[in-house]
Amino acid sequence: MASKTFNWEILSLTRFLLAFVVVIGHLTAFTNVGFFKILHYLGSFEAILGFLLISGLSIGKSILRNKESYFQRRIKRIYPVYLASIVFTCIVLPQPFTWTYAGFILLNLVFLNQALTSTSLVGPAWTLAVEVWMYSLAPVFLKMSMKKLNMLIYISFISYCIYTCGRTLFKWDYYAGTSYGINLLLLSFIWIAGFAMAIFPDKKKSTAIHIAAIFVVHIALKIAIQVLFRYKHHELGLIASTDLPGFIGIIACLAWVYYVVIYNHKVPVFSNPVNKILNLLGNISYPLYLVHLTLFKQFDKWKINNVLIMIGSAILFSWIVYYIFDFYSKKREAKFTASS
């Protein structure tokens, strides 16, 4: 094993694992996931937080490396696979043509889902809309001081905490069902934290403390809400038997994300063949995240509920989408292979 400046391969593996956690979370609505329920305990929302943190870090390093072609690179990376997922969804889940439906598709094409709508055509793409808005704001963030970025982080995080409490107290919508673009306010904190870590490497220690504090407060808030729920319904006995695995799971998920981001330099670097596999897993995580739910709905129509068939098909189909449509990642991998 050797050492290098940044271990992107472990982040690629982490992105795949986080996508897989979301896949299992959605799969529980269609079939008994059996052994894979262990992954469900890691928490789909915590996986999304991990996605956003890694995304902010990656974009920060990308824009620092080359500002001139930044937007061009983002478009090439996002759109081919996203367009394929939209077409796939329209084929598998067809709707009668109306101008309203056509407008809905158009809004999704320009990532105004969750801004001018409360749903997304491709279900999981609600988080992609948040990321694209953050991509668009990255050049603005790049000009900000660390103090101003921290201010944005905590304005967003406090808003998130208030909204999280409101979801319990007032039955506010889950983030996938919001509109008016409020997810930009509610969820940008963790993306900006990753971005700040990339563009201010000399402030890494303080940023790491902020991220740790955010994760700890998030976990504490989630546990506190569930414990109060059990207390209200006289079900405290269910905390140990039912809720504890989930509490341990979300802690493990965020601890792993924190480790591979903050202590990335301590993660061993493996051989080139292993790194190629890890990069491939990272590359298919994007189409896997977008297409799996639509595929599961098609399986549900066909009355197919075998968990191994559903998972295997999702991964295989994601690889096919990557191989056919993800020109950007394939080109990048070709460069990696040549340099190796």
Side-chain angles (χ1 to χ4, degrees):
M1 296 182 184
S3 63
K4 63 178 182 179
T5 304
F6 205 83
N7 189 335
W8 288 107
E9 289 73 29
I10 195 64
L11 291 185
S12 293
L13 174 62
T14 301
R15 283 168 46 216
F16 175 80
L17 293 176
L18 295 175
F20 198 63
V21 168
V22 175
V23 168
I24 298 302
H26 285 147
L27 190 56
T28 57
F30 298 92
T31 188
N32 180 3
V33 297
F35 167 81
F36 293 101
K37 192 170 183 178
I38 294 174
L39 294 177
H40 182 49
Y41 288 137
L42 296 177
S44 294
F45 185 74
E46 284 65 36
I48 290 169
L49 291 181
F51 269 136
L52 293 175
L53 177 62
I54 293 173
S55 173
L57 177 69
S58 302
I59 296 304
K61 289 186 175 293
S62 175
I63 198 171
L64 280 178
R65 186 171 61 250
N66 187 345
K67 300 182 183 68
E68 285 69 26
S69 62
Y70 167 70
F71 284 111
Q72 182 181 2
R73 296 197 308 274
R74 288 298 89 206
I75 291 172
K76 289 181 178 179
R77 176 68 177 97
I78 294 168
Y79 257 113
V81 171
Y82 182 54
L83 290 174
S85 69
I86 287 178
V87 172
F88 177 60
T89 300
C90 290
I91 292 173
V92 171
L93 306 172
Q95 299 289 328
F97 177 82
T98 63
W99 288 111
T100 300
Y101 183 59
F104 178 62
I105 293 175
L106 179 61
L107 290 176
N108 278 264
L109 285 171
V110 294
F111 298 104
L112 289 177
N113 46 311
Q114 315 305 135
L116 300 180
T117 71
S118 59
T119 57
S120 297
L121 178 64
V122 179
W126 68 271
T127 61
L128 181 60
V130 175
E131 285 193 72
V132 170
W133 298 337
M134 303 311 295
Y135 297 161
S136 301
L137 291 170
V140 178
F141 296 148
L142 190 62
K143 298 177 181 179
M144 290 185 175
S145 65
M146 189 69 198
K147 183 178 180 180
K148 289 182 178 179
L149 288 178
N150 283 335
M151 182 178 67
L152 291 179
I153 289 169
Y154 281 102
I155 289 174
S156 173
F157 185 59
I158 291 170
S159 301
Y160 161 77
C161 291
I162 293 171
Y163 191 86
T164 299
C165 294
R167 287 184 55 222
T168 298
L169 295 173
F170 308 114
K171 308 301 179 184
W172 291 347
D173 291 324
Y174 181 63
Y175 309 96
T178 60
S179 53
Y180 307 110
I182 64 170
N183 281 335
L184 181 62
L185 170 64
L186 299 177
L187 299 177
S188 61
F189 62 91
I190 195 65
W191 193 97
I192 298 174
F195 186 84
M197 175 163 288
I199 65 173
F200 290 105
D202 56 318
K203 302 290 179 59
K204 179 180 176 180
K205 184 176 181 179
S206 63
T207 307
I209 293 173
H210 291 310
I211 295 172
I214 285 170
F215 280 173
V216 168
V217 172
H218 163 76
I219 292 168
L221 183 60
K222 194 162 187 175
I223 292 176
I225 289 173
Q226 186 63 15
V227 169
L228 290 173
F229 172 83
R230 294 300 188 192
Y231 175 77
K232 178 181 177 180
H233 293 86
H234 310 288
E235 298 174 342
L236 289 177
L238 293 178
I239 294 176
S241 62
T242 304
D243 300 328
L244 186 58
F247 295 159
I248 296 173
I250 64 173
I251 292 171
C253 180
L254 294 180
W256 169 254
V257 171
Y258 187 82
Y259 178 78
V260 298
V261 170
I262 306 302
Y263 297 101
N264 183 275
H265 60 286
K266 293 186 176 182
V267 179
V269 178
F270 297 97
S271 63
N272 284 331
V274 173
N275 285 338
K276 287 180 66 176
I277 294 173
L278 298 183
N279 282 324
L280 175 62
L281 291 175
N283 287 332
I284 68 171
S285 66
Y286 176 43
L288 177 63
Y289 183 78
L290 288 179
V291 305
H292 73 272
L293 186 55
T294 301
L295 189 64
F296 291 164
K297 289 179 179 179
Q298 181 60 54
F299 280 140
D300 191 50
K301 289 181 182 180
W302 289 337
K303 307 299 182 183
I304 296 174
N305 61 4
N306 182 284
V307 64
L308 294 179
I309 291 176
M310 297 177 80
I311 291 174
S313 298
I315 293 175
L316 176 60
F317 188 66
S318 300
W319 177 83
I320 293 172
V321 172
Y322 155 74
Y323 186 78
I324 296 175
F325 296 103
D326 197 347
F327 312 106
Y328 177 85
S329 296
K330 287 193 295 181
K331 183 177 179 180
R332 183 180 57 195
E333 287 308 300
K335 289 181 179 179
F336 168 79
T337 303
S339 63
S340 298

